[in-house]
């Protein structure tokens, strides 16, 4: 039994000296440039012939185009992104999926792999069984197939690596903290699978055998997870949360280094701010040494 | 309660975790999450406190006012609770959406403080049968991350501890009484909250029970028992919530756990509050800029 109460004023905050000052950081209303030769991009507006930022973020310049990339945002999908989402509605031939974007995403019945075969016609029978395959509240991993005109996403799970997710836990972080990588599915050597969704949803679960990969997750395993695995999942989850709290980019190496730095603390101590800061500092130093 | 949707597999994972005494974030069944507390955050109140328990954020303001004593308790002051659910916390609270939850919390707080040993209401009486202090406690939910009852009771206790009531001098003069307010703004009396209760919610998940359930865990729990526990382990109020049912023996277990956890919760809270009081001078405000 532990109760840990602190005063807000005594809690360790981010050390300012460890953060490089960003020169191109703007807040809403800031003048980016008064030069009229530039083109207006996302996150900016024109007033009195000057470019102003409309969001808080980092200015990016591509030739004559000025954009501001917001630091905290909803997810703006791009084709090919890997996302983790939650089914919120079962509709006519489609599922509505929450992916932390501005509008709900859709997963069409025609863009999922159904159990039992590759080239299968998705018949009326399947339409009636939709809730049997995926029901409200279920979590899926998917890829963005296309982006509609209004910015909403169409997803697909037509590969065996995508599909319904089983036992594990979901962590929500800001989408801008996920580093874009070739792969977002990582089987970490500590026996944990991490799916870093581009939309900021991070799924952590114990690595399973090949059996579940072949069914697309439709056959779920409700057997209790052994305690040792559970502890590692909790630790990785706390690492993900601490990285996000300290605004560090999330990718396989950063998570692994944080995990290794955290091993000297019990899992539940990782929720204390001073332990978080120490672990993150260690991981940050190691990342800088590696030059990544 | 504010619910999140979970898949069956996630629920199974959480339920088995509670049985293993190892929860999603590595806590055991009887562990609280990290709590941050700050008092006297709102200068226009008599006392205030802000608390952050993981994602739950609650602001409490206390205002004291002179009022008429009630006819049934002519020698006592009163305490009144009001809870407001901000729509910033979740869109469900918009309009009248948060009213049910707000009423539940304020009723529970009122019941918890209804015990004569919690807070000495006689000290709030100014002129017997005529004037007394009425303590208005306003609770504002700013963010929801589970354990709203526990967090609000802790914040209320901290805010009451922080409350200062102006000292009044009563002079009886030929039948009518006169009240005189002290000129010195620091000439105040404090409330004695050493025996005020904190609410401990025990949520039944699977066959075991956990304290300080997160939002995900609340979604897996069918029944919960709320206990208002004082520093000495006295239970001043008890409430059962949810559609599930309890075994008699499990209620006894929960009472034992609740008392134990409640006592240590009260103890650490008082330690923190007393230490903040001591370091009053060199304090700087954290506020909302984290």
């Amino acid at each position: 039994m532990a109760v840990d109460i602190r005063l807000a004023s005594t809690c360790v905050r981010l050390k300012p000296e460890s953060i490089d000052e960003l020169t191109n950081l703007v807040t809403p209303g800031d003048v980016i440039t008064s030069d009229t030769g530039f083109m207006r991009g996302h996150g900016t507006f024109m007033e009195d012939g000057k470019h102003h930022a409309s969001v808080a973020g980092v200015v990016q310049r591509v030739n004559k185009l000025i954009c501001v990339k917001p630091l905290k945002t909803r997810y703006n999908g791009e084709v090919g992104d890997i996302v983790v989402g939650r089914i919120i509605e079962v509709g006519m031939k489609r599922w509505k999926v929450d992916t932390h974007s501005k509008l709900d995403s859709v997963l069409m019945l025609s863009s999922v792999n159904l159990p039992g075969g590759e080239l299968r016609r998705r018949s009326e029978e399947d339409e009636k069984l939709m809730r049997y395959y995926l029901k409200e509240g279920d979590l899926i991993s998917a890829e963005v197939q296309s982006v509609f005109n209004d910015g909403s996403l169409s997803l697909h799970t037509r590969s065996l690596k995508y599909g319904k997710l089983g036992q594990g836990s979901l962590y929500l972080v800001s989408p801008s903290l996920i580093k874009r990588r070739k792969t977002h599915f990582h089987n970490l050597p500590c026996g944990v699978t991490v799916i870093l969704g581009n939309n900021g949803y991070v799924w952590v679960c114990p690595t399973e055998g090949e059996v579940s990969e072949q069914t697309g997750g439709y056959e779920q395993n409700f057997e209790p997870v052994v305690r040792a695995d559970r502890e590692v999942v909790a630790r990785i989850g706390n690492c993900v949360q601490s990285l996000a709290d300290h605004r560090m980019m999330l990718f396989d190496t950063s998570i692994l280094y944080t995990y290794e730095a955290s091993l000297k603390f019990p899992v539940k101590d990782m929720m204390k701010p001073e332990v978080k800061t120490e672990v993150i500092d260690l991981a940050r130093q190691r990342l800088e040494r590696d030059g990544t | 309660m504010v619910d999140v949707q979970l898949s069956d597999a996630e629920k199974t994972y959480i339920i088995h975790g509670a049985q293993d005494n190892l929860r999603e974030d590595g806590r055991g069944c009887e562990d609280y999450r990290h709590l941050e507390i700050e008092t006297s955050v709102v200068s226009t109140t008599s006392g205030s406190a802000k608390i952050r328990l993981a994602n739950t954020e609650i602001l409490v303001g206390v205002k004291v006012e002179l009022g008429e004593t009630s006819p049934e308790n002519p020698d006592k002051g009163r305490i009144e609770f009001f809870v407001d659910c901000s729509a910033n916390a979740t869109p469900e609270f918009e309009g009248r959406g948060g009213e049910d939850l707000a009423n539940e919390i304020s009723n529970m707080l009122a019941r918890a403080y209804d015990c004569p040993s919690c807070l000495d209401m006689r000290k709030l009486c100014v002129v017997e049968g005529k004037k007394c202090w009425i303590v208005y406690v306003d609770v504002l939910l700013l963010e929801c991350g589970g354990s709203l009852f526990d967090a609000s009771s802790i914040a209320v206790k901290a805010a009451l501890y922080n409350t200062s009531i102006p000292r009044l001098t009563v002079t009886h003069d030929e039948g009518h009484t006169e009240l005189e307010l002290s000129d010195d703004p620091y000439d105040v009396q404090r409330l004695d909250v050493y025996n005020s209760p904190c609410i401990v919610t025990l949520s039944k998940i699977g066959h075991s029970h956990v304290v300080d359930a997160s939002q995900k865990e609340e979604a897996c729990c069918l029944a919960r028992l709320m206990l208002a526990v004082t520093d000495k382990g006295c239970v001043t109020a008890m409430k059962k919530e949810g559609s599930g049912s309890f075994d008699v023996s499990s209620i006894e277990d929960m009472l034992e756990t609740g008392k134990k956890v409640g006592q240590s919760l009260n103890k650490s809270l008082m330690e923190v509050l007393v230490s903040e009081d001591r370091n009053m001078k060199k304090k700087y405000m954290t506020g909302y800029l984290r």
Side-chain angles (χ1 to χ4, degrees):
Chain A
M1 170 175 51
V3 182
D4 174 34
I5 304 182
R6 307 281 175 80
L7 288 177
S9 51
T10 55
C11 286
V12 199
R13 296 285 150 201
L14 271 181
K15 286 190 217 139
E17 69 264 32
S18 64
I19 296 160
D20 302 325
E21 196 68 33
L22 276 172
T23 46
N24 52 353
L25 196 69
V26 288
T27 49
D30 275 359
V31 177
I32 304 167
T33 174
S34 44
D35 193 342
T36 45
F38 287 102
M39 282 199 314
R40 196 169 62 88
H42 286 295
T44 62
F45 66 94
M46 283 278 273
E47 208 175 80
D48 306 328
K50 288 174 186 160
H51 288 274
H52 295 264
S54 61
V55 289
V58 187
V59 179
Q60 282 178 339
R61 210 163 283 188
V62 182
N63 296 329
K64 289 273 157 194
L65 181 72
I66 294 186
C67 302
V68 180
K69 205 178 171 207
L71 295 177
K72 192 178 176 188
T73 168
R74 287 218 161 235
Y75 168 60
N76 290 314
E78 281 166 44
V79 174
D81 278 358
I82 307 241
V83 296
V84 174
R86 197 185 287 283
I87 307 287
I88 48 174
E89 203 181 300
V90 184
M92 288 284 286
K93 287 188 184 172
R94 73 193 66 204
W95 289 276
K96 281 235 173 84
V97 188
D98 162 46
T99 53
H100 197 253
S101 46
K102 287 169 191 152
L103 298 164
D104 293 335
S105 311
V106 289
L107 176 69
M108 300 292 289
L109 179 59
S110 58
S111 44
V112 298
N113 257 353
L114 290 178
E118 287 124 49
L119 297 166
R120 225 181 89 170
R121 283 188 60 216
R122 282 154 198 85
S123 55
E124 207 173 312
E125 207 95 302
D126 282 332
E127 217 174 303
K128 285 174 187 157
L129 283 173
M130 274 177 71
R131 191 168 269 113
Y132 170 78
Y133 302 133
L134 289 170
K135 64 168 183 288
E136 291 90 344
D138 281 350
L139 277 174
I140 52 159
S141 63
E143 194 181 297
V144 177
Q145 191 170 35
S146 61
V147 183
F148 293 117
N149 281 336
D150 57 356
S152 64
L153 308 175
S154 163
L155 309 175
H156 83 91
T157 62
R158 302 192 68 175
S159 158
L160 286 174
K161 61 181 178 179
Y162 306 130
K164 197 164 161 182
L165 299 170
Q167 292 196 58
S169 41
L170 180 75
Y171 296 87
L172 312 183
V173 304
S174 166
S176 37
L177 291 174
I178 307 287
K179 194 166 189 169
R180 285 181 182 275
R181 289 290 162 109
K182 201 167 155 193
T183 168
H184 284 255
F185 290 74
H186 301 290
N187 289 328
L188 299 180
C190 47
V192 162
T193 301
V194 179
I195 304 174
L196 295 163
N198 278 115
N199 56 341
Y201 286 17
V202 179
W203 176 251
V204 185
C205 65
T207 307
E208 282 168 43
E210 286 178 14
V211 192
S212 65
E213 279 172 26
Q214 276 159 16
T215 57
Y218 289 108
E219 259 143 60
Q220 292 201 308
N221 173 16
F222 288 123
E223 288 296 304
V225 177
V226 287
R227 201 188 146 96
D229 282 350
R230 205 177 272 282
E231 210 170 305
V232 185
V233 171
R235 192 183 283 278
I236 290 282
N238 283 350
C239 289
V240 168
Q241 210 98 74
S242 333
L243 283 164
D245 282 353
H246 287 77
R247 307 285 183 270
M248 297 264 289
M249 289 304 266
L250 289 171
F251 53 102
D252 49 347
T253 328
S254 73
I255 293 175
L256 205 59
Y257 283 1
T258 321
Y259 172 77
E260 279 164 14
S262 77
L263 281 174
K264 59 179 170 182
F265 298 103
V267 187
K268 63 179 170 194
D269 281 359
M270 284 200 60
M271 288 187 293
K272 295 181 181 161
E274 73 274 4
V275 175
K276 267 188 195 172
T277 318
E278 191 184 332
V279 167
I280 294 295
D281 270 350
L282 283 172
R284 199 201 307 262
Q285 280 162 18
R286 202 170 151 194
L287 280 171
E288 276 163 13
R289 258 206 313 279
D290 286 7
T292 42
Chain B
M1 288 284 160
V2 192
D3 274 334
V4 284
Q5 268 192 327
L6 290 184
S7 71
D8 294 343
E10 278 176 287
K11 281 187 183 167
T12 318
Y13 185 77
I14 290 173
I15 291 167
H16 288 151
Q19 269 164 14
D20 262 358
N21 194 23
L22 185 74
R23 298 205 249 160
E24 253 195 325
D25 41 11
R27 281 186 290 158
C29 285
E30 296 175 10
D31 291 334
Y32 262 81
R33 288 172 288 182
H34 175 78
L35 254 162
E36 264 177 38
I37 212 161
E38 193 172 17
T39 54
S40 58
V41 277
V42 188
S43 56
T44 49
T45 57
S46 314
S48 59
K50 195 194 88 177
I51 181 178
R52 194 170 177 89
L53 173 72
N55 275 332
T56 305
E57 185 147 13
I58 289 171
L59 180 70
V60 175
V62 178
K63 196 88 183 159
V64 288
E65 248 173 51
L66 268 184
E68 305 286 322
T69 51
S70 62
E72 56 266 30
N73 289 314
D75 58 339
K76 282 181 182 169
R78 287 201 295 278
I79 184 163
E80 277 172 26
F81 293 95
F82 178 77
V83 181
D84 187 22
C85 300
S86 160
N88 279 341
T90 150
E92 286 163 43
F93 287 161
E94 217 175 302
R96 293 177 155 244
E99 220 161 63
D100 289 346
L101 179 66
N103 283 338
E104 262 174 56
I105 296 179
S106 59
N107 286 343
M108 185 63 193
L109 284 170
R111 275 177 55 197
Y113 276 84
D114 201 24
C115 176
S117 64
C118 293
L119 203 60
D120 192 3
M121 293 299 177
R122 284 195 188 85
K123 282 190 182 156
L124 295 173
C125 180
V126 184
V127 183
E128 200 177 316
K130 288 202 178 95
K131 290 278 175 197
C132 70
W133 288 111
I134 306 173
V135 181
Y136 293 100
V137 182
D138 292 310
V139 181
L140 177 63
L141 299 185
L142 292 168
E143 211 180 324
C144 298
S147 288
L148 294 173
F149 284 78
D150 301 28
S152 28
S153 75
I154 295 169
V156 165
K157 187 167 176 175
L160 286 176
Y161 179 83
N162 184 240
T163 302
S164 41
I165 301 173
R167 219 179 279 279
L168 289 175
T169 20
V170 188
T171 42
H172 293 276
D173 189 28
E174 290 169 20
H176 59 95
T177 47
E178 251 175 49
L179 300 176
E180 201 184 334
L181 191 68
S182 164
D183 290 332
D184 181 11
Y186 293 102
D187 185 20
V188 287
Q189 68 181 79
R190 301 284 289 268
L191 285 170
D192 178 22
V193 291
Y194 282 92
N195 288 319
S196 324
C198 280
I199 299 174
V200 177
T201 309
L202 293 130
S203 313
K204 196 171 177 73
I205 295 180
H207 292 296
S208 36
H209 48 262
V210 301
V211 301
D212 186 23
S214 65
Q215 224 170 354
K216 280 187 196 170
E217 283 164 338
E218 275 176 1
C220 305
C221 136
L222 289 175
R224 52 181 83 85
L225 193 69
M226 291 162 197
L227 302 169
V229 189
T230 65
D231 189 46
K232 294 192 183 74
C234 164
V235 178
T236 62
M238 185 162 135
K239 189 186 177 189
K240 186 245 164 195
E241 209 188 46
S243 55
S245 54
F246 290 123
D247 206 323
V248 179
S249 63
S250 76
I251 294 187
E252 280 165 8
D253 273 356
M254 286 166 129
L255 266 168
E256 280 310 306
T257 324
K259 273 190 206 171
K260 206 170 63 186
V261 176
Q263 271 174 296
S264 65
L265 187 66
N266 274 302
K267 197 165 144 261
S268 11
L269 177 65
M270 276 329 279
E271 273 170 21
V272 167
L273 291 175
V274 170
S275 82
E276 178 168 40
D277 228 19
R278 239 183 279 129
N279 305 333
M280 211 52 166
K281 282 186 192 102
K282 51 184 171 185
K283 196 179 110 171
Y284 67 96
M285 299 289 258
T286 320
Y288 291 88
L289 294 171
R290 282 153 41 82

